[in-house]
Amino acid sequence: DSIRRRRECESCNRRFTTYERIDEIPYMVVKKDGRREKFERQKVLSGLLRACEKRPISIGQLEQIVNEAESFVIDSPERERKTAELGELIMNRLRNLDKVAYVRFASVYLDFKDVHEFMSELQDLLRSKDAREAKAALSSGQQAKAGSSKPTSSKPGQAQE
């Protein structure tokens, strides 16, 4: 656990032994109730594995999310982050990756009190999906208009101008 070194005093040339150890200050997460816990990478990964069970998500993708979460904690100047911040980061990554895994993770992380809270989250998810689809349809419609320079007739058989 420690490193033993033999040294020599530069002024009297006497030899002596020192014992050194790495003084590692752990990275911490602050829980909702204010308790502080050491950040555990494996705990984050096991939560993700549970949420992504029987889903088409590779371990590599989960590792990437865990790496991002760990970097987020390490980059903190105070050496700690709130679990709420960490949970939001993970949920955003899951939301973009797999909706079912996102809902599973959110149901545990957000600690829904009843079915109405759960349904509200599902409706938000559906609304954001509908908004993205509408935006995609709108942008593809604008691209189609920009691609045609000649006006087309509305009736079959009618000549174009």
Side-chain angles (χ1 to χ4, degrees), residues 87 105 144:
F105 188 86

Side-chain angles (χ1 to χ4, degrees), residues 12 15 22 37 52 64-65 77 79 83 89 104 141 146 150-151:
C12 69
R15 293 184 52 83
I22 297 171
E37 277 186 14
C52 298
Q64 185 179 359
I65 293 172
R79 298 184 68 93
T83 54
L89 174 96
R104 286 178 181 171
K150 294 183 180 180

Side-chain angles (χ1 to χ4, degrees), residues 79-155:
R79 298 184 68 93
E80 67 181 27
R81 292 281 185 177
K82 293 181 179 179
T83 54
E85 297 170 332
L86 207 52
E88 287 296 322
L89 174 96
I90 293 168
M91 284 196 314
N92 286 336
R93 299 304 181 269
L94 279 177
R95 189 177 202 157
N96 295 330
L97 194 62
D98 185 271
K99 304 294 187 239
V100 172
Y102 164 76
V103 170
R104 286 178 181 171
F105 188 86
S107 69
V108 173
Y109 173 74
L110 295 176
D111 191 28
F112 297 126
K113 301 294 181 236
D114 57 22
V115 175
H116 299 294
E117 288 182 14
F118 188 76
M119 288 302 294
S120 174
E121 184 65 29
L122 285 175
Q123 288 168 347
D124 288 348
L125 187 62
L126 289 172
R127 275 195 292 276
S128 69
K129 179 185 173 193
D130 290 343
R132 278 193 310 276
E133 287 174 354
K135 187 176 178 180
L138 183 63
S139 66
S140 66
Q142 288 175 344
Q143 290 172 352
K145 281 184 180 179
S148 65
S149 59
K150 294 183 180 180
T152 57
S153 64
S154 59
K155 295 180 185 176

Side-chain angles (χ1 to χ4, degrees), residues 7 9-10 17 21 26 34 40 69 71 95-96 115 135 147:
R7 299 178 184 261
C9 177
E10 292 178 359
T17 303
R21 64 182 167 82
E40 294 180 40
S71 294
R95 189 177 202 157
N96 295 330
V115 175
K135 187 176 178 180

